[in-house]
Amino acid sequence: MEVKIFDDYNTMSATAADIIIDCVKNKPNALLCFPTGNTPLLSYKLLAEKKREHHIDFTKCFCIGLDEWLGVPPEVKGSCSYDLHEHVFEPLGIKELQIHLFTGITNDTKAECRTMNELVRKHEGIDCLLAGIGINGHIGFNEPGSDISMEAHEQLLHPTTLASGQNYFRAATKLEKGITLGMAQVMASKRFLLLANGTPKAAIIKTALEGEVTNQVPASYVRRCENSIVLIDKDAASLLENKWN
Ligand code: PGA
């Protein structure tokens, strides 16, 4: 694990965008995994700007989504599918043929998970996976207490996730379960970028980086991952005691 602390959200986001661009330059057919949430929004904006400015070719890469709310259709703003199209795929000009997302509308989550697991295996793993961190320490929908050895799976959502999840939707939305890549796949990624900014994330960043490595805080497993880079701004780093930079 490498930790980089930035003066502000801008420089943190620019670095995340640069790492994704380097990944695609080095391996044009890279498998990229994108999350939703507020944290990566500026990285996505800068990624699209840099792509245009430097003519980076994203036409050969393949993209997957980290997770999805079960029961929420893809045309609803707030679903991971809708938000990834709006913030990542459309700005980068990524075509549907280059995308596979979990669907929130399914009677067979096991089949959904199997398809995703096979796809990740077919690509020989994820080349670059970006993730935010929940204030409960989740990564994707790997909630506190979840089995770290799992691949894609259905997950009952933690109360904190259910509450903060409402903020992504225009109207109150029934949320209960999610579908997510598992920590086994997150940790096996050739690049695992964990992003956090702002003081609301300071306590969980301290717990994840300086507390016990435990499945009660799935993000703490970032420390067991050789290929991980934690990118945080100084507000999210404000409670850290170790010298990380
Ligand atoms: P946020 O969500 O980026 O909106 O803070 C992160 C997460 O819950 O994983």
Side-chain angles (χ1 to χ4, degrees):
M1 177 184 72
E2 192 184 339
V3 178
K4 290 177 189 271
I5 301 174
F6 297 88
D7 281 341
D8 53 48
Y9 179 54
N10 259 297
T11 47
M12 179 196 96
S13 304
T15 301
D18 286 340
I19 293 172
I20 298 167
I21 284 178
D22 277 349
C23 174
V24 174
K25 275 189 185 163
N26 290 333
K27 186 176 174 188
N29 65 345
L31 179 61
L32 308 175
C33 179
F34 295 107
T36 53
N38 294 319
T39 310
L41 289 177
L42 184 56
S43 305
Y44 293 156
K45 184 166 173 276
L46 298 175
L47 182 61
E49 285 174 13
K50 286 169 188 277
K51 183 225 172 219
R52 272 195 303 276
E53 204 178 315
H54 302 291
H55 307 286
I56 312 294
D57 182 10
F58 275 77
T59 58
K60 295 185 189 64
C61 68
F62 198 87
C63 302
I64 56 177
L66 181 58
D67 51 15
E68 185 56 282
W69 306 97
L70 278 173
V72 179
E75 62 277 11
V76 170
K77 175 153 182 57
S79 69
C80 300
S81 175
Y82 187 102
D83 289 0
L84 287 177
H85 277 89
E86 180 180 356
H87 297 297
V88 184
F89 305 140
E90 281 158 26
L92 290 178
I94 294 191
K95 305 221 160 59
E96 284 305 313
L97 279 171
Q98 296 172 263
I99 303 169
H100 181 78
L101 303 176
F102 290 118
T103 172
I105 302 298
T106 174
N107 299 321
D108 192 348
T109 48
K110 286 216 166 73
E112 275 292 303
C113 292
R114 247 190 335 266
T115 305
M116 186 61 95
N117 291 341
E118 280 162 14
L119 191 149
V120 171
R121 267 195 283 279
K122 193 184 94 189
H123 285 262
E124 296 176 351
I126 298 165
D127 291 290
C128 186
L129 178 144
L130 194 63
I133 178 172
I135 51 172
N136 57 11
H138 75 189
I139 298 284
F141 288 142
N142 292 278
E143 299 288 66
S146 57
D147 178 350
I148 297 302
S149 67
M150 278 196 289
E151 296 192 315
H153 60 280
E154 177 180 322
Q155 177 82 45
L156 203 58
L157 297 172
H158 187 266
T160 309
T161 304
L162 295 173
S164 59
Q166 292 298 333
N167 298 326
Y168 304 124
F169 295 93
R170 288 194 174 118
T173 302
K174 186 178 176 300
L175 305 173
E176 185 193 5
K177 292 177 179 172
I179 184 166
T180 184
L181 285 180
M183 285 306 291
Q185 291 154 318
V186 171
M187 290 177 56
S189 301
K190 289 162 205 148
R191 266 274 169 266
F192 166 24
L193 297 186
L194 182 61
L195 300 184
N197 67 289
T199 37
K201 296 289 171 70
I204 192 60
I205 281 293
K206 177 171 176 45
T207 306
L209 299 189
E210 296 182 349
E212 197 190 335
V213 175
T214 163
N215 72 338
Q216 294 308 315
V217 183
S220 62
Y221 276 85
V222 69
R223 283 145 64 192
R224 295 276 164 85
C225 191
E226 266 181 39
N227 301 326
S228 61
I229 311 183
V230 181
L231 305 177
I232 42 184
D233 74 350
K234 67 175 180 333
D235 293 334
S238 57
L239 297 177
L240 292 175
E241 281 164 32
N242 297 348
K243 262 225 134 328
W244 288 101
N245 264 351

